[in-house]
Every structure is written in structure tokens, then in C-alpha cells.
Amino acid sequence: MPGFASSTRDLPMSGVIPKHIAVIMDGNGRWAKQRHLPRFAGHKKGVETVRDVVKGCLERGVSYLTLFAFSSENWRRPEEEVSLLMQLFVRALQHEVKKLRKNGVRLHVVGDLSRFDAQLQKLIAEAEEQTAENDALHLTIAANYGGRWDILQAANRMMQASPEKAGHWTEADLEPHLCMSFAPEPDLFIRTGGEQRISNFLLWQLAYTELYFTETLWPEFDEAALATAIASYGQRERRFGRTSEQLAETSSALNSAGTHA
Ligand code: IPE
Ligand code: IPE
Ligand code: MG
């Protein structure tokens, strides 16, 4: 598979609309607490936000949307909350896949799925299969995902695939084994809910991603909030290690090439 541009080895092209947005959907519990509701009510409302954000990405021509739904550390939550989250995931897969299929959305689920029960694993496989022909938007749900787990599983697979390269493995050898190898690196990372941390999300892939943090709680993150985040991204100068002056030279060279073509 031809690889995507790597932020450390190539100079990726970037426009005003991010090709890939990765989101930590945080603040469901606090949203519910503010309303004297059980935490689960916040998670339920959060599913509605997912629908709006998928729609917003489709309308804006974003090609990849990756959502952190359950981290490898979220098993530490009370058993009841974990079990309700799993039920919500099952229900969402049962009810949303038809609509995703109709709207050109391809679903991927990444993470250590082996810890999920058989019914959930089956539903995931079916949902991926039913949307496999689509490519308007790649929607990835990270479930029982951890960035360190991802790098380790990739390293283990890389070492098995090319033992003869021991001591000489490169980034390019590792990348095809990472969970998100079907997607370019995220251009924009959004975390709702006010915390400013990565919480073991895509550690490798976020190397050069633009970070955006908002106080807005996930259940209240609507299309206007998405538009604001994308507009902030559009203002960033992505230098990938270079100076501003170098960027200006590259873009004027590209412009004059365009005029003479
Ligand atoms: C994010 O919302 C959803 C999951 C981690 C599953 P939280 O449940 O973390 O909400 P807060 O941070 O407690 O408000
Ligand atoms: C991160 O949210 C994981 C998901 C959104 C799934 P948390 O709310 O669990 O993050 P921490 O543990 O507070 O950093
Ligand atoms: Mg949280």
C-alpha cells in the first residue's frame, strides 16, 4: 500500500480544511452532573453529538474523522458505567450502520477488540463489512484503544515481519503496522471538556497535529463549534520544522509555477 505523507519524513500538503480530524470526546459526565442526571445520560446525549459532527464533516469535505470512545484506561471506571457504555456501543452499531452506509461513511473500529464480548466483536466486524465500499468519510471509533498499546503491537508485528532488519528498523517499517495505517496523520486534534491532555490517544500519529482545546462539553459540541475549531485550524501556520520565511518562498514558487503552467 502506498504510504501517506509522513510529518517527519515528508512535507505534507495542508489546506484550510483538515483532511483528518481526531477528537477526544470529553465532558459527558460533567454535562449530566450539571443537570442532576446520571452520568449515563451524558453518554447518551454524546451519541447525538457524534451524529452532528459526522454530518458536519461530510458537509465540509473532511475525509477522516477519528473519535476516542473508550480508552484502555476507561476499564478503571465503575463496573456499571463500563457495562452501560458497552450497551450504548452495541445499540449505536445496531441502529446507525444503515444510515452510515447510505451516507457514504465507511466505519472502522480500532483498538484491542479482543477484550470485548463476542456479540460486540461480531457487530463491529459486520458494520465494517457493510460500509466497506464507502469512501466519502472514513469514521474511525477508537475503542479499548491506547497509544502505547498501538505502538507496541505495531513494533511486535514489525519485528516478526522483518527480523532480518533488527537494529535497522525505520519509521517507514513501523507505520504500516499501526492501527491507523489506512489514514493520513491527523491534521487537527480536538479535545472538548476543558482538559488539556492527550490521555494515551494517538501518540505516534499526533506528532505534528495542530491541537485545539475547548471548554465546551462534548454533548454541547455542535456544528457551529466544529466550524470554529476548523476555522482556528485554517489560521495555523504548519511549519513542520521550517521557518516562516521558507514557507513564504515555497508558496511563492508554487504560485509562479501555477501562473506559467
Ligand atoms: C467522555 O466523557 C466519555 C468517555 C470517556 C467514555 P467523560 O465520561 O470522561 O466525562 P467527564 O470527563 O467525566 O465529564
Ligand atoms: C479520554 O477521556 C478517553 C475518551 C474520551 C474515550 P477521559 O475522560 O477518560 O480522560 P482522562 O482519564 O480524564 O484523561
Ligand atoms: Mg472525562
Side-chain angles (χ1 to χ4, degrees), residues 35-253:
R35 285 160 183 76
H36 309 286
L37 294 168
R39 292 180 57 82
F40 180 65
H43 297 315
K44 252 173 93 175
K45 182 80 180 155
V47 176
E48 290 177 31
T49 304
V50 171
R51 277 188 215 117
D52 292 347
V53 169
V54 167
K55 184 165 159 274
C57 285
L58 275 167
E59 284 170 3
R60 286 172 179 77
V62 173
S63 307
Y64 298 85
L65 173 66
T66 301
L67 304 174
F68 205 6
F70 192 87
S71 75
S72 42
E73 289 68 47
N74 285 144
W75 297 105
R76 297 169 178 163
R77 292 195 177 194
E79 214 173 290
E80 193 198 358
E81 181 169 347
V82 170
S83 145
L84 287 169
L85 280 166
M86 294 301 148
Q87 287 173 35
L88 196 61
F89 194 15
V90 167
R91 224 174 307 150
L93 286 168
Q94 286 168 335
H95 291 108
E96 307 289 332
V97 172
K98 238 194 224 154
K99 211 165 16 153
L100 294 177
R101 187 182 157 117
K102 194 177 107 221
N103 291 325
V105 180
R106 177 165 182 180
L107 185 77
H108 308 260
V109 181
V110 298
D112 182 2
L113 306 185
S114 67
R115 194 154 167 196
F116 294 136
D117 71 33
Q119 182 207 14
L120 185 48
Q121 289 188 43
K122 185 162 170 272
L123 277 171
I124 290 170
E126 285 169 359
E128 287 184 329
E129 202 185 299
Q130 281 161 16
T131 60
E133 304 289 306
N134 288 343
D135 69 351
L137 173 69
H138 289 256
L139 170 64
T140 304
I141 305 296
N144 193 21
Y145 178 87
R148 290 187 176 180
W149 166 82
D150 191 6
I151 294 170
L152 260 180
Q153 66 81 28
N156 279 314
R157 292 203 285 151
M158 173 190 73
M159 291 186 278
Q160 270 179 353
S162 54
E164 72 290 350
K165 287 186 84 176
H168 305 280
W169 286 298
T170 63
E171 291 184 13
D173 293 320
L174 186 86
E175 276 161 6
H177 300 287
L178 291 164
C179 281
M180 298 288 305
S181 61
F182 59 86
E185 293 172 35
D187 301 296
L188 172 64
F189 161 96
I190 299 172
R191 182 171 186 145
T192 61
E195 311 294 353
Q196 303 199 0
R197 55 181 176 245
I198 304 289
S199 301
N200 198 16
F201 195 24
L202 302 161
L203 298 179
W204 179 282
Q205 297 86 342
L206 293 175
Y208 258 109
T209 303
E210 296 298 328
L211 306 180
Y212 179 88
F213 297 96
T214 171
E215 293 291 325
T216 305
L217 304 173
W218 179 249
E220 287 174 336
F221 190 82
D222 55 13
E223 279 205 56
L226 175 69
T228 306
I230 292 177
S232 159
Y233 171 82
Q235 302 287 314
R236 311 280 179 100
E237 185 179 61
R238 303 191 74 191
R239 292 193 286 275
F240 298 107
R242 293 162 299 168
T243 65
S244 281
E245 290 73 19
Q246 286 175 295
L247 281 183
E249 278 166 30
T250 319
S251 73
S252 75

